Amino acid sequence: NLSIEDVPAAWRAAGLVHLAPLVDELNNDLYSAFRAPVMLTPQGLMRQWDAKGRVTFRRWFEPHLLRHVALAVFSQQDIEGDTSLIEAFRQVVMTVVTDGAAGGAVYRGTSVFTYPAYPAEEVDPTGAGDVFATSLLIAQYFLKLPLEEALSLAAQVAALTVQHTGVYTPTPDEISAIVAQYT
């Protein structure tokens, strides 16, 4: 497991933090270790493996840890229809639930609003959720865009990734062209 001792001191002063566990490998001390806004993509907390290596859904909700998180982002696919998990998360942290080409929804306390996906011809969705989440974090907290514009920018960047086979990282020029539309 990773703990705060595994994070270099210089990284602890980062301006933004994205916690993205793969296999529930984060110690609880990491959630409260940073002063910067922390985004959590909890997919790796919402999985479990049986003795034969089969991956299945695991309901994960730890409000005492989520209180240290500014933003949680996960997909409808990650929660396998457990909408009570959305309800639980939204009571503690701003929660964005993505739904691929259907866009997604933002839950903040009692308010909810939907946002559209950016039109794209999907070839392979691998990595699009992570690209969306990271772009949203940067757009909202670094570029200081209003939430609706940050969601739009993130959807547009994610749309770049689905138009390629495998994990595709948008180029700096592609990112710059998108950011220029919003700044």
Side-chain angles (χ1 to χ4, degrees):
N1 278 356
L2 297 173
S3 71
I4 191 60
E5 289 83 30
D6 299 311
V7 179
W11 291 12
R12 295 179 205 168
L16 299 172
V17 176
H18 180 181
L19 297 179
L22 297 174
V23 291
D24 194 11
E25 73 277 17
L26 303 182
N27 283 354
N28 292 351
D29 65 351
L30 280 173
Y31 292 86
S32 60
F34 305 96
R35 290 190 197 124
V38 173
M39 177 180 65
L40 173 67
T41 49
Q43 293 88 332
L45 303 170
M46 297 179 174
R47 312 182 245 237
Q48 60 189 0
W49 288 258
D50 66 15
K52 294 183 179 182
R54 287 180 295 219
V55 179
T56 57
F57 172 69
R58 176 179 82 142
R59 189 176 198 284
W60 182 91
F61 177 69
E62 297 290 338
H64 67 285
L65 298 177
L66 290 171
R67 283 183 174 73
H68 303 288
V69 172
L71 174 65
V73 180
F74 52 85
S75 73
Q76 286 287 352
Q77 184 181 14
D78 294 328
I79 60 170
E80 295 188 2
D82 186 351
T83 57
S84 70
L85 202 48
I86 296 170
E87 293 303 315
F89 266 76
R90 76 187 284 176
Q91 298 305 314
V92 182
V93 61
M94 185 170 85
T95 303
V96 178
V97 181
T98 63
D99 197 11
V106 178
Y107 301 87
R108 187 186 268 167
T110 59
S111 68
V112 61
F113 69 92
T114 60
Y115 65 89
Y118 190 82
E121 188 171 321
E122 184 177 305
V123 174
D124 185 350
T126 304
D130 292 323
V131 168
F132 171 87
T134 302
S135 299
L136 177 59
L137 178 69
I138 292 167
Q140 190 170 24
Y141 291 100
F142 181 72
L143 298 176
K144 307 261 189 248
L145 294 180
L147 181 58
E148 287 186 37
E149 288 183 25
L151 289 162
S152 179
L153 181 147
Q156 194 171 351
V157 175
L160 288 174
T161 68
V162 303
Q163 297 178 68
H164 298 85
T165 302
V167 177
Y168 176 76
T169 303
T171 67
D173 287 342
E174 289 173 320
I175 298 291
S176 294
I178 292 170
V179 170
Q181 297 172 36
Y182 296 90
T183 55

